[in-house]
Each structure stands twice: as structure tokens, then as C-alpha cells.
Amino acid sequence: MKQWIVFEGGEGSGKTTLMAALEEHLVSRGMDVLCTREPGGVPIAEAIRRIILDPQNKELDPIAEALLFAASRRQHLVEKVLPALKEGKMVLMDRFVDSSLAYQGHAREIGLDEVRRINALATQGHMPDVVFLLDIEPIKGLERIRADRDSLNRLDLETMRFHEKVREGYHLLARENPNMIVLNAQKSVEELLHEILETLFP
Ligand code: TYD
């Protein structure tokens, strides 16, 4: 059974809505579910995350950024995710290591192997059973978030070229990872949920 499920995708790809729909479905089947995202209400991880996303921190070095994401990830994993998995809960997670690989490794050009190394220490081999990549053209995703939010964070404000590279990075990862399932984020929530359930309960 697939117990640990991660959602990945660019800005405005609809992860949050889809995760909420999946959570509702799983709970209605009587499953015990933890739905979380880094930093996930873990205070130390949240403090780290505030530094990363603060639009004033323009001088944040790319490698420092990758290390901070990995530190936040580690704390959330140890304090929240691993205990939930141990209790037998199903864990739905909004973003994990592949975000760092696509954003920091590929788009910021630190290199996939470099970011993999940093994250190997942070995760110590704990990896999700399946990753759903919600694939969308950056222009369409950004239109969605501009319509929904009144403020944009430091990463939303990157150039269109950056968001295109994020998408390219995700595609590279999907090509080499059989556990990463690419979904067309422009489909309806119902259709996407159906595809996800087919993968989880074949
Ligand atoms: P957030 O507002 O939580 O974005 P979203 O709702 O799109 O998930 O901001 C998280 C931002 O951080 C988002 O732009 C993706 C980026 N990010 C990385 O660059 N590396 C990472 O490892 C993670 C987890 C997120």
C-alpha cells in the first residue's frame, strides 16, 4: 500500500485544492490521514522558512537557500512526518525533496547532484512511495495565483524564465523517477482525483 504521498508542481498548479479533495476521500474511506506541508506548523521549521520566503532577503545565497530548505525539511520530517508514518497514518505532503531539486538544483543552477547530496543528509533515505507532479505552463499557474492572492512571496516574484526552468527541472526528474506520476494540472479536480485513486488503489 502507498502510505506516503507527495504533491509537487509549480506556482498555481492547484496542489492545495487537490490534496484537500484527496484527504476528504481517504477520510471517507475510514483512513487516518495526516495532510501537511513543510514547515507544517513545526515552530523551528517555520522560523527557518520565514527567512527563506521574506522578500527583503534579496542577498540570500542560492546554496544557503538550499541548505535552509533542507534544514526546515529535516525538522518537519523528524518531528511530524516520521511519527505519523510510524503510527500507520497516510501522509499527504505538499512539496518535498523534488521541490529543492527543481527550484534550487535546476532553476537556480546549483546542480541536481549537489542538492541531492544536501537532501540525502536531511532525509537519510526516507522517501515517499509516490510523487504526483501537477504539470502546468508557468504563465497559466501564475495567472491563477495572481487572481487568488493579494501578496506574492520572494519565489513567486522570480522571472518567467525561472518558472520555466522549474518546470523543465521537474520534467527531468520525472523522466528518471518511476515513482513520479505526471498529471495535467489543467484537468478538473474530479478527473485528477480519479487518476490519483487509480494509482493508489489499482
Ligand atoms: P508557498 O507559498 O508555500 O508555495 P506553494 O503554495 O506554491 O507551495 O511557497 C513555497 C515556495 O518555496 C514556492 O515558490 C516553492 C519554493 N520551494 C523551493 O524553492 N524549494 C523547496 O525545497 C520548497 C519546499 C519550496
Side-chain angles (χ1 to χ4, degrees):
M1 208 204 47
K2 294 186 171 48
Q3 194 192 355
W4 182 2
I5 301 152
V6 168
F7 286 82
E8 291 283 357
E11 318 303 313
S13 55
K15 292 183 274 81
T16 315
T17 313
L18 193 56
M19 283 176 69
L22 177 60
E23 182 186 19
E24 196 181 305
H25 178 90
L26 296 174
V27 169
S28 77
R29 283 191 176 204
M31 291 177 168
D32 203 359
V33 182
L34 170 73
C35 198
T36 187
R37 61 183 318 179
E38 298 168 349
V42 173
I44 297 169
E46 265 170 15
I48 298 168
R49 184 73 161 218
R50 273 196 293 281
I51 301 171
I52 308 174
L53 295 182
D54 185 344
Q56 290 194 338
N57 285 340
K58 291 194 179 59
E59 57 284 295
L60 184 62
D61 168 80
I63 296 180
E65 180 184 88
L67 289 164
L68 287 169
F69 270 119
S72 167
R73 172 162 305 133
R74 169 80 189 161
Q75 194 64 34
H76 175 248
L77 183 74
V78 169
E79 254 191 82
K80 204 164 169 184
V81 177
L82 295 181
L85 290 169
K86 211 168 165 194
E87 284 166 26
K89 288 189 180 146
M90 239 168 130
V91 175
L92 309 186
M93 241 171 99
D94 189 341
R95 299 192 180 281
F96 195 54
V97 173
D98 292 313
S99 282
S100 284
L101 292 170
Y103 283 76
Q104 282 68 49
H106 191 73
R108 287 228 197 280
E109 300 183 352
I110 296 175
L112 293 181
D113 285 342
E114 237 66 358
V115 177
R116 268 197 193 104
R117 264 209 291 278
I118 294 170
N119 279 278
L121 183 63
T123 58
Q124 297 191 309
H126 294 286
M127 283 310 225
D129 298 309
V130 60
V131 178
F132 291 109
L133 170 60
L134 287 169
D135 184 47
I136 190 165
E137 275 171 58
I139 185 100
K140 302 219 167 86
L142 289 166
E143 271 165 19
R144 280 193 193 168
I145 59 168
R146 292 217 164 94
D148 287 0
R149 289 190 205 165
D150 40 13
S151 70
L152 298 176
N153 70 36
R154 198 172 56 80
L155 283 141
D156 295 333
L157 294 171
E158 286 288 347
T159 61
M160 190 51 70
R161 174 74 195 123
F162 178 81
H163 293 292
E164 273 157 11
K165 286 197 74 176
V166 169
R167 186 183 192 209
E168 195 179 271
Y170 274 132
H171 286 173
L172 287 173
L173 297 170
R175 239 174 277 151
E176 45 184 63
N177 180 2
N179 288 334
M180 193 176 216
I181 314 279
V182 186
L183 301 172
N184 175 355
Q186 300 224 75
K187 290 187 181 172
S188 70
V189 175
E190 293 70 32
E191 274 176 287
L192 290 167
L193 186 59
H194 181 74
E195 289 179 23
I196 288 169
L197 292 173
E198 279 189 337
T199 302
L200 296 183
F201 308 102

